[in-house]
Amino acid sequence: MTQDPDTIISVHDVHKWYGNFHALKGIDMDVKRREVIVIFGPSGSGKSTFIRTINRLEEHQRGQIIVDGIELSHDVRNIEKIRMETGMVFQQFNLFPHLTVLQNITLSPIQVRKWSRQKAEEIAMQLLERVGIPDQANKFPGQLSGGQQQRVAIARALAMQPKIMLFDEPTSALDPEMIKEVLDAMVELAKSGMTMLVVTHEMGFARAVADRMFFFDQGQIVESGTPDQIFKSPKEERTKLFLSQILSH
Amino acid sequence: MTAMKPTLPPLTERSNVLRWLRRNLFGSWMDALLTILGALIVYWVVKGFLTWALVTADWRVVAANMRLLMIGQYPIAQAYRLWIGLAFLMFLSGNSLGIWARQSRFGPVLLLAPALLALLPFGAEPRKWLIILTVTGLAGWGLGLLRPEVLKRSVIAGWVISLPIFILLTRGFSESASGFMPAVQTNLWGGLLLTFLLTVVGILFSFPIGVLLALGRRSELPVIRLASVGYIELVRGVPLITILFMAQLMLPLFLPPNVTIDRVLRAMVGITLFSAAYLAENVRGGLQAIPKGQFEAAHALGLNGAQTMIFIILPQALRLIIPILVGQFIAVFKDTALVAIVGLLDLVGIARTVLAQPEFLGRQREVYAFISLIYWLLSYGMSYLSQQLEERLGVGKR
């Protein structure tokens, strides 16, 4: 299998069924290093399911997914390798409520990467600095606002020093006044050259940093292109309709 | 808006006793009747009990048999070993209280309790030891207050080895009667000592087994899952007493005649295996309460299945079920009384032998009231500790 060395994620004809429901109907996508991809579409269109197949939180039943040269299969070691290279940020934050912010961030580097506690904590503090909340290190997640929790989640994912970051609707569970602080952290990350796949409806974010956008509907990619193409001259009726709905309100 | 009353009583109205009585106890004829009736019943019960406890009851049966009730037929010449074990536990308790519960008023009370007990009419020897207990407890407490950071590790290590040490002290070392700490066979262990050991061993060993069974029941491997489900449902389907009978009466039939397993050990194993099945179901309940997102986040971070369980899921699940766990531990403590039926001389068993003494015939009420008090005190102590633990662990977590 020959592959462009610049391609970090290669997805070919991926299908997924939940029982009889055909959730993903043949997804093809190639992502280059340092690219920022925005995936959008109506709810139930399969966009979250798709992004979760990339680190195997969901299993695909047909097709091929290659992440950083490793093919996702039933081989547990491959799955673990890929999960070490991909960070994920969830809609519901999913911080560990029984651990402090610092422990949330350092747990995996210490246990999986086998770093010393000291090194892990140093890097954790740098990351908290980067997302703007170094003073919250010793609090528990329950003591933070939603925006702060999501920024901790970003720092936690980054602490594993992943090559790819996956964002699954990172701002959908936030109060409006907290969306900006999370988006700012994500924009900064995008500009630093991280490869990112972002499921979001924040079109301002897409316009600012996305290299390409993919519109999902009913388990398929309906349309893809640069933000300019998508916003100014969408080809498909469904894309136009959806954009008019989310941009008009 | 017609029926609105213009004046409501001011909120800061001063209440005196009479007004409170009228409002709460004598608001209507019916209330008054119920109040008087209730007061009469309470008076009658309390008077009856106090008359019995202070006048009729002959507590000599308890005083004369205190040693039997506490340690059974454990040889008195060796009793100092138990006191040393207790002093060690007392030191650890005091130390732990000094380190982790500095503000608690419960601490000093617990530490002074043995000295207060020494005021009761015990002999000179127990009195001396009770005072030593308080002294070691207070010493541990003081050290804990002074040097909390330094002692944290050693006190945890102390607790870990406390049970083996206590059992070793109880059991003894040398087989010859004249040697250092001669062995005391388990058929001489009895009373509160035996109840205590059965309970602690039952709790400590059933806990890991129960957690493993709960995890096994959720396993993706059918063999492990079916084995766990089978074990849990089998054990939960029979009463504890049948398991104890099996262990005491049936087991010897299956073993070769020259192989004997200690009877106390058999009871311990029976209680442990029984309790583990119930514990497994409680732990499973806690595991099910953990949101799926916690597993996903752990997996996304690259943690494997075992790491996810140990660092993320179990700590949260066990914290959720502390009240249920303590409820079960209290149940284990009280269930150990069933070993009396298969002939072991635990607190209940020894009470029955005390009552068989000719000079104390017919003193059931005193003896059973006394051991009930012991059961209640220790059960309530566990319950109180669990509340403290919950408060401590709950802070700022949710």
Side-chain angles (χ1 to χ4, degrees):
Chain A
M1 165 108 207
T2 56
Q3 204 184 358
D4 178 358
D6 218 26
T7 301
I8 190 162
I9 301 174
S10 163
V11 176
H12 182 63
D13 193 31
V14 161
H15 288 260
K16 165 137 191 100
W17 286 264
Y18 291 110
N20 287 326
F21 178 66
H22 200 169
L24 296 177
K25 302 171 185 165
I27 305 292
D28 289 289
M29 187 186 291
D30 281 301
V31 180
K32 293 198 174 62
R33 288 176 202 279
R34 306 169 73 87
E35 239 186 337
V36 176
I37 305 287
V38 164
I39 296 168
F40 67 111
S43 69
S45 60
K47 53 194 193 305
S48 280
T49 306
F50 168 68
I51 201 173
R52 290 154 60 91
T53 58
I54 292 175
N55 65 350
R56 196 64 163 205
L57 288 184
E58 302 283 353
E59 201 176 313
H60 61 286
Q61 282 126 1
R62 215 169 83 194
Q64 191 183 39
I65 299 176
I66 299 173
V67 180
D68 200 24
I70 305 165
E71 180 171 359
L72 269 179
S73 61
H74 285 282
D75 189 334
V76 179
R77 277 169 307 171
N78 279 358
I79 297 173
E80 281 176 3
K81 266 188 216 154
I82 286 175
R83 283 177 177 165
M84 280 172 78
E85 303 305 336
T86 55
M88 188 166 210
V89 176
F90 299 86
Q91 182 178 355
Q92 299 296 341
F93 325 140
N94 292 348
L95 295 178
F96 306 130
H98 62 301
L99 301 177
T100 64
V101 166
L102 197 63
Q103 290 167 333
N104 261 279
I105 299 173
T106 56
L107 176 70
S108 195
I110 292 172
Q111 297 300 334
V112 180
R113 288 250 187 247
K114 308 290 180 199
W115 292 353
S116 70
R117 175 172 304 277
Q118 196 194 353
K119 179 182 177 191
E121 285 183 355
E122 262 168 37
I123 288 177
M125 287 312 296
Q126 285 167 13
L127 287 167
L128 282 175
E129 202 94 40
R130 190 167 161 191
V131 296
I133 41 174
D135 45 335
Q136 311 288 344
N138 292 312
K139 289 195 182 162
F140 286 96
Q143 296 167 304
L144 305 185
S145 72
Q148 290 172 326
Q149 291 194 42
Q150 194 61 300
R151 285 187 279 161
V152 172
I154 293 172
R156 179 176 72 175
L158 288 175
M160 286 293 282
Q161 303 193 325
K163 293 178 179 157
I164 302 159
M165 284 285 284
L166 309 172
F167 291 83
D168 187 3
E169 305 206 31
T171 55
S172 301
L174 292 174
D175 291 335
E177 75 270 21
M178 292 170 184
I179 291 178
K180 187 176 175 300
E181 62 189 56
V182 172
L183 286 180
D184 285 348
M186 289 167 61
V187 167
E188 188 267 329
L189 188 61
K191 288 185 174 158
S192 77
M194 175 65 76
T195 310
M196 291 165 67
L197 267 74
V198 185
V199 173
T200 186
H201 292 152
E202 293 295 332
M203 289 303 137
F205 172 80
R207 226 177 239 131
V209 295
D211 295 303
R212 280 190 294 158
M213 298 175 69
F214 288 78
F215 176 59
F216 271 57
D217 194 17
Q218 295 177 357
Q220 288 172 312
I221 296 174
V222 175
E223 186 166 0
S224 66
T226 64
D228 259 6
Q229 289 167 346
I230 295 283
F231 287 122
K232 290 191 182 135
S233 50
K235 294 188 212 78
E236 300 286 331
E237 274 312 305
R238 279 190 283 175
T239 319
K240 281 180 202 166
L241 184 65
F242 184 75
L243 280 173
S244 72
Q245 280 166 348
I246 63 166
L247 292 175
S248 62
H249 69 225
Chain B
M1 299 301 272
T2 48
M4 198 154 116
K5 293 228 169 103
T7 51
L8 292 165
L11 291 171
T12 53
E13 184 185 34
R14 292 186 64 184
S15 60
N16 60 34
V17 176
L18 276 179
R19 194 175 286 149
W20 183 89
L21 280 179
R22 176 176 294 170
R23 186 171 304 152
N24 292 292
L25 300 179
F26 298 94
S28 66
W29 279 111
M30 196 59 191
D31 284 359
L33 197 68
L34 285 175
T35 301
I36 292 168
L37 203 66
L40 279 175
I41 292 175
V42 170
Y43 169 76
W44 175 67
V45 170
V46 170
K47 178 174 180 269
F49 179 76
L50 285 181
T51 317
W52 172 76
L54 299 176
V55 182
T56 324
D58 184 357
W59 293 105
R60 274 178 312 174
V61 58
V62 171
N65 291 294
M66 187 57 93
R67 184 166 64 86
L68 270 182
L69 289 168
M70 291 297 117
I71 60 175
Q73 289 155 313
Y74 200 89
I76 192 160
Q78 303 301 326
Y80 73 95
R81 283 150 43 175
L82 303 177
W83 286 112
I84 291 175
L86 270 184
F88 182 59
L89 293 182
M90 205 65 191
F91 180 83
L92 288 175
S93 306
N95 214 322
S96 306
L97 286 166
I99 292 172
W100 288 290
R102 354 191 90 217
Q103 271 87 38
S104 166
R105 274 160 293 156
F106 175 70
V109 174
L110 179 83
L111 298 177
L112 290 174
L116 291 176
L117 283 178
L119 297 176
L120 291 172
F122 290 121
E125 186 71 7
R127 253 191 204 151
K128 181 185 87 188
W129 279 106
L130 283 168
I131 287 166
I132 290 177
L133 285 190
T134 285
V135 170
T136 51
L138 287 174
W141 191 54
L143 280 174
L145 283 177
L146 285 176
R147 289 281 176 85
E149 290 309 317
V150 187
L151 288 169
K152 253 178 199 171
R153 274 161 193 276
S154 64
V155 75
I156 290 172
W159 280 117
V160 170
I161 57 165
S162 61
L163 179 68
I165 284 195
F166 195 88
I167 289 183
L168 262 184
L169 282 171
T170 311
R171 172 70 175 62
F173 302 98
S174 68
E175 296 303 323
S176 72
S178 56
F180 172 68
M181 289 201 177
V184 177
Q185 298 308 321
T186 55
N187 58 356
L188 298 177
W189 302 9
L192 184 59
L193 169 70
L194 182 60
T195 295
F196 170 78
L197 285 174
L198 288 172
T199 307
V200 174
V201 168
I203 289 172
L204 283 184
F205 286 88
S206 68
F207 186 73
I209 299 176
V211 170
L212 286 179
L213 281 170
L215 295 178
R217 192 163 187 168
R218 288 165 59 101
S219 168
E220 283 165 11
L221 302 171
V223 180
I224 296 179
R225 188 173 59 243
L226 286 176
S228 304
V229 172
Y231 176 84
I232 292 168
E233 295 306 336
L234 182 73
V235 172
R236 293 207 312 160
V238 293
L240 174 58
I241 189 69
T242 57
I243 292 179
L244 292 175
F245 268 123
M246 282 289 273
Q248 299 295 337
L249 303 175
M250 304 288 283
L251 197 60
L253 297 180
F254 304 127
L255 292 172
N258 51 351
V259 175
T260 52
I261 304 177
D262 189 278
R263 294 184 68 209
V264 169
L265 185 64
R266 277 184 263 164
M268 283 174 174
V269 170
I271 290 168
T272 301
L273 295 182
F274 182 79
S275 169
Y278 283 85
L279 225 135
E281 287 299 276
N282 294 338
V283 172
R284 188 166 70 101
L287 291 175
Q288 279 170 347
I290 305 300
K292 203 166 150 247
Q294 294 287 309
F295 290 90
E296 290 180 348
H299 288 150
L301 284 167
L303 295 169
N304 63 30
Q307 289 168 330
T308 303
M309 270 300 156
I310 293 169
F311 296 111
I312 308 299
I313 306 303
L314 276 179
Q316 295 185 61
L318 294 180
R319 184 168 303 172
L320 280 178
I321 58 167
I322 288 175
I324 306 174
L325 284 181
V326 174
Q328 175 159 12
F329 293 159
I330 291 174
V332 171
F333 172 51
K334 293 185 294 187
D335 283 350
T336 58
L338 284 172
V339 300
I341 294 181
V342 292
L344 293 186
L345 297 176
D346 75 318
L347 203 45
V348 171
I350 207 85
R352 298 201 306 185
T353 67
V354 165
L355 289 168
Q357 297 165 358
E359 68 264 45
F360 297 120
L361 281 179
R363 291 285 163 214
Q364 282 92 342
R365 282 185 221 168
E366 287 84 349
V367 173
Y368 285 123
F370 178 72
I371 64 171
S372 301
L373 180 70
I374 293 180
Y375 276 114
W376 179 81
L377 271 178
L378 292 174
S379 299
Y380 181 74
M382 283 199 248
S383 169
Y384 180 88
L385 275 179
S386 95
Q387 285 165 23
Q388 299 289 305
L389 192 66
E390 271 172 69
E391 254 170 49
R392 190 143 304 221
L393 291 176
V395 179
K397 303 296 196 300
R398 303 246 152 214

